[in-house]
Amino acid sequence: MLFHKIEEVRTEVLKWKKEGLTVGLVPTMGALHAGHLSLIKKAKETCDKVVVSDFVNPIQFGPSEDFDKYPRTLDADMELCSKEGVDIVFAPSADEMYGEGRRLSNDTLTYVCPPFFYVNTLCGKTRTGHFDGVCTVVLKLFNIVQPDYAFFGQKDAQQVIIIKKMVKDLNVPIQIIQCPIVREESGLALSSRNKYLSEQGKKDALVLSKILNNIKSCYEKGITDVEALKETAYSFLTDKHDMEYLEIVDRNTLENKTKADENSIALIACRVENVRLIDNIYLK
Ligand code: PAF
């Protein structure tokens, strides 16, 4: 079922709840790929009913980011969702979500603002306001769908950590399930933004996973000094790569460390053909 209206989703989910069925939500911005399908599969295994939201959320894009050109493929998304047995695809308009004619700023809209450190480190250093926009839409989706479980990919590791923090701090009665990164055979992490890359760009983008895998194998060989681990990246970089950050932090709190340990995660953001790509790996 494809719904565009909040009330339609609410009414259907309420019927399920009255029957005692469990509900899973997979929040997406559409342009579904195998990474999203792995979240949907996990939701189907875990819950009686599955809702996929398909909404390119304007308030999580900065003014110079790719909101206008972000791929919108609702027909193809619907086909994939029906193959996977998704019960509802919720594809609202921005007006439906934020009110007609509203200016989407925190002068006029109530925002969820996670703690400063969480939203201003890593991706937040260059994407001001991004995680406030993500948390605001995710909390709205949680309130609209009222799922028992919500499914997110480890690909956006900082996003999942921040959403878990929001859920804990605001006592949201929803269990957050993190699912592993899905990669192409080459090692490239799946992302809707890979569509922007040329064939050569996709080859150049393999540097992200190569750097991360190399850091992990150096850690396994006994190197724990974070600066030394980060330095191993430089031999992989060429003028095709515009590195934004490479950090090794705590996988639950995002805190910086001087020594890596079994709770460490290495995260990278790098531009290839001016496409901003992110990836990460648990060191253990
Ligand atoms: O990860 C995404 O696709 C988006 O940030 C999300 C969680 C659907 C919110 O718009």
Side-chain angles (χ1 to χ4, degrees):
M1 265 179 290
L2 172 63
F3 288 150
H4 297 290
K5 298 284 175 203
I6 293 169
E7 255 343 285
E8 296 171 320
V9 181
R10 282 228 166 107
T11 309
E12 192 62 24
V13 172
L14 198 66
K15 279 192 217 151
W16 298 340
K17 294 260 168 164
K18 281 190 178 146
E19 291 171 39
L21 302 174
T22 54
V23 180
L25 170 67
V26 182
T28 82
M29 296 206 300
L32 301 185
H33 51 63
H36 298 110
L37 298 189
S38 75
L39 303 180
I40 294 172
K41 286 195 169 83
K42 183 73 184 167
K44 290 285 294 175
E45 277 166 35
T46 314
C47 308
D48 299 316
K49 295 285 184 184
V50 173
V51 179
V52 171
S53 62
D54 191 316
F55 176 60
V56 185
N57 174 33
I59 68 167
Q60 69 186 71
F61 289 80
S64 60
E65 292 184 353
D66 57 344
F67 174 69
D68 288 332
K69 77 166 189 176
Y70 197 86
R72 286 156 172 89
T73 59
L74 185 58
D75 290 344
D77 295 348
M78 281 302 297
E79 219 167 285
L80 288 170
C81 285
S82 90
K83 274 197 197 127
E84 295 300 329
V86 168
D87 298 281
I88 292 178
V89 175
F90 175 47
S93 65
D95 284 349
E96 179 69 7
M97 286 298 274
Y98 295 113
E100 216 164 323
R102 289 288 288 278
R103 277 179 53 243
L104 297 176
S105 85
N106 53 6
D107 291 338
T108 54
L109 190 71
T110 303
Y111 269 65
V112 179
C113 301
F116 185 87
F117 169 72
Y118 284 75
V119 299
N120 285 292
T121 185
L122 302 169
C123 290
K125 279 190 180 158
T126 50
R127 303 196 73 190
T128 309
H130 169 67
F131 290 110
D132 296 358
V134 168
C135 284
T136 303
V137 81
V138 167
L139 188 63
K140 282 169 74 71
L141 291 168
F142 285 175
N143 285 332
I144 293 164
V145 179
Q146 302 194 17
D148 302 284
Y149 298 86
F151 298 82
F152 295 89
Q154 185 198 316
K155 163 82 186 344
D156 297 301
Q158 184 176 11
Q159 168 171 283
V160 189
I161 291 168
I162 292 174
I163 289 169
K164 283 185 176 162
K165 174 85 176 135
M166 170 184 81
V167 161
K168 182 168 178 276
D169 289 351
L170 300 182
N171 307 93
V172 181
I174 294 171
Q175 205 169 314
I176 304 301
I177 311 284
Q178 176 178 294
C179 302
I181 299 176
V182 179
R183 297 179 181 280
E184 284 185 5
E185 227 174 281
S186 63
L188 181 64
L190 296 191
S191 160
S192 304
R193 290 188 169 98
N194 292 351
K195 289 199 169 117
Y196 303 147
L197 294 169
S198 69
E199 280 312 307
Q200 183 57 45
K202 279 190 162 189
K203 287 185 189 144
D204 296 331
L206 293 180
V207 152
L208 279 82
S209 56
K210 284 185 183 156
I211 286 174
L212 294 173
N213 282 321
N214 186 55
I215 287 180
K216 183 174 168 117
S217 74
C218 290
Y219 172 75
E220 283 167 350
K221 285 181 194 137
I223 304 175
T224 58
D225 184 76
V226 162
E227 284 312 312
L229 287 169
K230 281 164 60 173
E231 272 187 20
T232 64
Y234 290 105
S235 62
F236 291 90
L237 296 171
T238 69
D239 58 1
K240 306 268 183 62
H241 306 110
D242 181 7
M243 174 96 101
E244 189 181 296
Y245 67 74
L246 171 64
E247 297 293 349
I248 299 171
V249 302
D250 185 276
R251 66 166 75 167
N252 299 309
T253 63
L254 297 175
E255 268 157 339
N256 288 94
K257 303 185 157 190
T258 53
K259 296 275 175 213
D261 61 30
E262 74 271 10
N263 288 320
S264 294
I265 181 174
L267 307 102
I268 188 168
C270 181
R271 280 181 187 272
V272 174
E273 296 180 332
N274 209 24
V275 180
R276 188 176 180 281
L277 302 170
I278 57 171
D279 199 352
N280 66 77
I281 199 166
Y282 286 161
L283 297 195
K284 187 149 183 217

